[in-house]
Amino acid sequence: MGCVKRLRTAPFVGWALFSAAGSVNNPGMKLTKEQLLVNYRKMRMIRSFEEKLNELVNSGRLGGFLHLSIGQEAVAAGVCAHLSERDYVSTTHRGHGHCIAKGVRVKGMMAELFGRSTGLCKGKGGSMHIADMDQGMLGANGIVGAGIPLATGAALTCKLKKTGGVAVAFFGDGASNQGQFHEALNMASNWKLPALYVVENNGWGEFTPTEFVVPVRDIAVRADSYAMRSAIADGNDFFDVYEKAGEAIAAARAGEGPTLLECKTYRYMGHYVGDPLAYRPPGEVDRWKNEHDALTGFESRVKADGVIEDMELRRIDEEVVEELSAAVADAENDPVPAVEALYEDVYAKE
Ligand SMILES: Cc1ncc(C[n+]2csc(CCOP(=O)(O)OP(=O)(O)O)c2C)c(N)n1
């Protein structure tokens, strides 16, 4: 396989970002204790939700083709911490974390993944088509890059209707090579839309290292082509993402137009659940896990600052486990959609 022959030996370039900067950034950043706990809970929920999915698929209790974002939790949480119900988010094939961070109910997500009629899309969407319009979640998407123009359209709606809302598109480094990325950024900048484009550069697109297919070191520079503001964040540092996303979203709300925010991160899991990861350079996954994990970093920071005690975080961990167990039990017992529902909520009918 060509991929094996070309296996990279150097660590992913994103590594340089945090090893040079250190893992604790933005000492001036202000969040209340309550906000910190809310965001820890979100990140813990994202990770535990996906660890649970991994376990369910591997034990044969859950079917379907799933993509997990374990390792990237700080991006979803740090960006969505600035959003409310008037704001929109679009996501990708790897979108559970963005849904949770945006406030989508875990119970409805779990039921959707199990294909139950109680699911957010009545059991007919599944992991890659999960959506929740009540929360401004425009949907996951199996087509790489397709969420980018969707969020751009939502940003145009916010602008025309003067809602004060913003729209955020989350997507991967691979998606930044798609034509629709460039078309959408051009339009958004030209029309000064209240949009934020968050590229999660996790170093891999399927089984290919990013630098094999992206000639620029920083995807953020692509914003220059469209006279758009850009920023680079350490995507495994919640506080850095929070600060940079906050600046971008404030500018968008103030009518100053969109930003391309590149978050350098890493995903611990393969492209899909079941991917044996044989193509990753030895030690790469462990290095990120052991030296720059988003949750461990957050925990060390808040404990060192003396804001939060260990037992408060452990209580959240337990609550998350309980909530997930209940969601799985409910989902397993809920009914599948009735055959008569086949033609409901679809555009094309016989
Ligand atoms: C238009 C399109 N082309 C190709 C694919 C197959 N595909 C699915 S995921 C993926 C890689 C995406 O990489 P990236 O955007 O970096 O996101 P990541 O999976 O790393 O989160 C590809 C090529 C697809 N689903 N849609």
Side-chain angles (χ1 to χ4, degrees):
M1 204 165 80
C3 177
V4 172
K5 222 170 30 185
R6 296 185 64 199
L7 198 76
R8 67 174 170 199
T9 47
F12 165 49
V13 288
W15 189 257
L17 182 86
F18 70 79
S19 46
S23 60
V24 176
N25 286 332
N26 313 321
M29 203 273 312
K30 302 257 187 312
L31 278 165
T32 64
K33 176 170 179 173
E34 198 192 348
Q35 287 171 320
L36 289 170
L37 290 173
V38 163
N39 283 293
Y40 175 76
R41 180 184 294 271
K42 274 190 186 174
M43 289 197 287
R44 174 57 64 196
M45 178 57 88
I46 296 169
R47 180 160 303 183
S48 299
F49 182 88
E50 292 204 322
E51 284 173 349
K52 176 60 82 182
L53 296 185
N54 195 38
E55 181 192 311
L56 289 166
V57 172
N58 289 328
S59 62
R61 283 164 73 191
L62 179 64
F65 194 60
L66 301 186
H67 306 85
L68 307 182
S69 64
I70 297 174
Q72 304 182 191
E73 300 85 354
V75 180
V79 171
C80 292
H82 298 281
L83 305 180
S84 69
E85 280 170 21
R86 70 182 163 160
D87 302 314
Y88 296 96
V89 161
S90 69
T91 177
T92 67
H93 54 288
R94 204 178 297 289
H96 308 134
H98 307 128
C99 290
I100 293 170
K102 184 65 173 63
V104 177
R105 286 176 311 118
V106 161
K107 187 172 150 52
M109 287 176 67
M110 194 62 86
E112 186 58 36
L113 284 150
F114 272 87
R116 307 299 174 175
S117 60
T118 49
L120 282 165
C121 306
K122 302 183 189 171
K124 295 190 268 182
S127 171
M128 275 190 277
H129 302 97
I130 208 159
D132 184 358
M133 293 307 166
D134 293 342
Q135 295 297 333
M137 167 47 69
L138 300 169
N141 212 307
I143 303 169
V144 170
I148 305 172
L150 290 182
T152 306
L156 178 60
T157 302
C158 295
K159 183 171 173 132
L160 294 178
K161 291 190 169 174
K162 299 188 173 46
T163 63
V166 299
V168 178
F170 288 100
F171 51 95
D173 39 275
S176 78
N177 292 338
Q178 293 288 93
Q180 41 199 334
F181 163 84
H182 297 276
E183 293 171 42
L185 263 68
N186 183 64
M187 183 183 280
S189 181
N190 202 36
W191 290 352
K192 282 202 176 315
L193 299 183
L196 174 61
Y197 298 96
V198 180
V199 52
E200 296 179 306
N201 186 350
N202 60 23
W204 292 89
E206 286 196 332
F207 320 102
T208 306
T210 306
E211 64 262 30
F212 282 19
V213 287
V214 178
V216 289
R217 180 190 157 110
D218 298 317
I219 292 169
V221 302
R222 291 185 163 172
D224 295 350
S225 310
Y226 308 110
M228 184 184 289
R229 185 182 307 100
S230 68
I232 298 177
D234 176 345
N236 281 26
D237 180 346
F238 168 85
F239 299 99
D240 197 32
V241 175
Y242 179 86
E243 183 173 284
K244 287 171 182 156
E247 286 165 7
I249 290 169
R253 291 199 205 282
E256 292 166 24
T259 299
L260 174 62
L261 173 62
E262 178 179 1
C263 296
K264 309 266 194 192
T265 183
Y266 190 78
R267 67 174 147 78
Y268 299 159
M269 308 292 289
H271 174 54
Y272 58 92
V273 173
D275 173 355
L277 274 186
Y279 51 87
R280 297 269 178 101
E284 187 175 271
V285 176
D286 286 342
R287 198 155 166 233
W288 281 85
K289 272 189 190 169
N290 299 334
E291 296 178 35
H292 200 47
D293 178 69
L295 274 104
T296 313
F298 183 94
E299 189 169 328
S300 320
R301 165 78 183 268
V302 294
K303 285 207 245 168
D305 286 356
V307 191
I308 291 173
E309 288 180 31
D310 186 67
M311 68 182 230
E312 296 175 278
L313 300 178
R314 301 295 75 86
R315 195 181 311 132
I316 290 175
D317 296 349
E318 282 167 26
E319 287 167 2
V320 162
V321 168
E322 280 167 25
E323 191 178 337
L324 284 169
S325 300
V328 173
D330 287 350
E332 284 189 315
N333 288 319
D334 282 344
V336 295
V339 175
E340 304 81 68
L342 193 63
Y343 292 112
E344 289 170 11
D345 308 312
V346 291
Y347 289 108
K349 299 193 184 187
E350 249 184 346

